[in-house]
Amino acid sequence: MKLSFVIPMYNAEKYIGKCIESIIAQNGEGSYEVIVVDDGSKDNGKDVALQYSGVKYFHKENGGQSTARNMGIEKACGDYICFVDADDFLIEKTLAPVLDMAERNNLDMACYGIGRPEQIKQADSFTEYDIMNGGDYIAKNNYNNGPWWYLIKKEFICRNNLRFVEGRYGEDGMFTMKALLAAERVQGCNMVCYCYVEQPNSTTTNRNR
C-alpha cells in the first residue's frame, strides 16, 4: 500500500461523497486506501461513505478532529498519509507525480499546491523544488501549517511519535510544525492537488474567543 487517505468526518453527509469520489479519481486502484473516521456524526454520512467500494469506515465517539486523525494514523497501512478534510476534495489525477517524487527521493514530507475552487490553475509542466530539511523549508518558503498540504511518510510519523494534540484549537498547526522541525528530507512541487472549500461556522472561520 503506497498511500493512505485519512478523512475525519463529522456531520459531512453533504460533502463526503464528492471528497471520496475525488480520491477515487486519482486512479490509484490497489495502491491507495481511503480511511473515513466518523467522529460521532449525527447525520447519514456513514451511509454515503459506505456506498463506495473499498472505503474503510471507522466510528468513534465524538472527541474532535484531532482524535479522528489520530485514529486514522493508527489504521493507515500506506507508506505515506494524505490528510483530507471531509468537505474538501482533490484535483483529478494530480497526486501520482507527487507520490512518485516522495518515493523516489525518500522524503519525510512532500508538499504540493492548494487552492479554492475558483483559484485552481495548473502549470504547464511538473516542477520539483530543492530537497531540504524542515527547518530550512520553513525559513525559505511561505509554508502553510495545514496537514492537508503534505504527503507524510507514516514511518516518519511513528518514529517521531507525532500525533495531533487533542482538545484544543490550532492542533493542526502544532502537528505540522513539529513534523517539519523533525523532518530531514522535505520537498515541494508546483502541482496543485488539493481544493480547499471554506464552510461557514467551521473551526477555521469561527472567531469565537
Side-chain angles (χ1 to χ4, degrees):
M1 189 69 64
K2 293 184 176 183
L3 182 58
S4 298
F5 293 93
V6 172
I7 309 172
M9 180 178 73
Y10 179 73
N11 291 348
E13 176 185 359
K14 296 179 180 178
Y15 319 111
I16 189 64
K18 182 174 183 177
C19 179
I20 294 174
E21 288 173 5
S22 75
I23 294 173
I24 295 172
Q26 298 300 311
N27 285 348
E29 294 88 350
S31 60
Y32 296 174
E33 65 175 356
V34 181
I35 297 172
V36 174
V37 181
D38 188 342
D39 187 36
S41 295
K42 299 176 182 179
D43 63 2
N44 295 317
K46 173 183 178 180
D47 296 335
V48 177
L50 290 178
Q51 290 178 0
Y52 299 93
S53 175
V55 168
K56 298 180 180 180
Y57 172 88
F58 300 94
H59 180 273
K60 58 179 289 299
E61 292 185 4
N62 181 256
Q65 191 165 239
S66 292
T67 63
R69 285 177 174 152
N70 287 338
M71 178 179 280
I73 291 172
E74 300 299 329
K75 300 296 184 182
C77 297
D79 295 330
Y80 285 86
I81 294 177
C82 178
F83 295 102
V84 185
D85 283 357
D87 52 356
D88 296 336
F89 59 92
L90 297 171
I91 310 304
E92 184 176 355
K93 298 180 181 179
T94 55
L95 271 180
V98 183
L99 180 60
D100 174 72
M101 179 183 76
E103 293 181 308
R104 176 167 31 85
N105 295 324
N106 191 29
L107 302 180
D108 297 320
M109 302 175 68
C111 182
Y112 42 79
I114 188 171
R116 290 182 172 86
E118 68 277 7
Q119 297 174 328
I120 302 299
K121 184 178 180 180
Q122 295 290 5
D124 293 333
S125 60
F126 181 75
T127 301
E128 299 180 9
Y129 305 137
D130 293 338
I131 300 172
M132 59 189 72
N133 64 51
D136 287 341
Y137 187 85
I138 292 171
K140 296 180 179 180
N141 292 275
N142 183 19
Y143 85 101
N144 190 281
N145 63 11
W148 12 262
W149 283 69
Y150 307 91
L151 300 185
I152 310 176
K153 183 185 288 185
K154 179 173 181 181
E155 183 274 333
F156 164 76
I157 291 175
C158 295
R159 171 163 40 90
N160 289 279
N161 195 29
L162 296 170
R163 295 295 186 274
F164 291 88
V165 177
E166 300 178 2
R168 62 169 295 166
Y169 290 117
E171 83 293 338
D172 49 356
M174 296 169 65
F175 175 90
T176 306
M177 178 65 74
K178 288 180 179 179
L180 283 167
L181 291 176
E184 297 179 359
R185 297 180 65 79
V186 181
Q187 187 176 20
C189 66
N190 66 337
M191 180 69 78
V192 182
C193 300
Y194 193 101
C195 192
Y196 172 75
V197 182
E198 191 171 88
Q199 301 292 346
N201 300 319
S202 69
T203 54
T204 54
T205 59
N206 183 13
R207 295 295 180 263
N208 187 326
R209 292 185 182 274

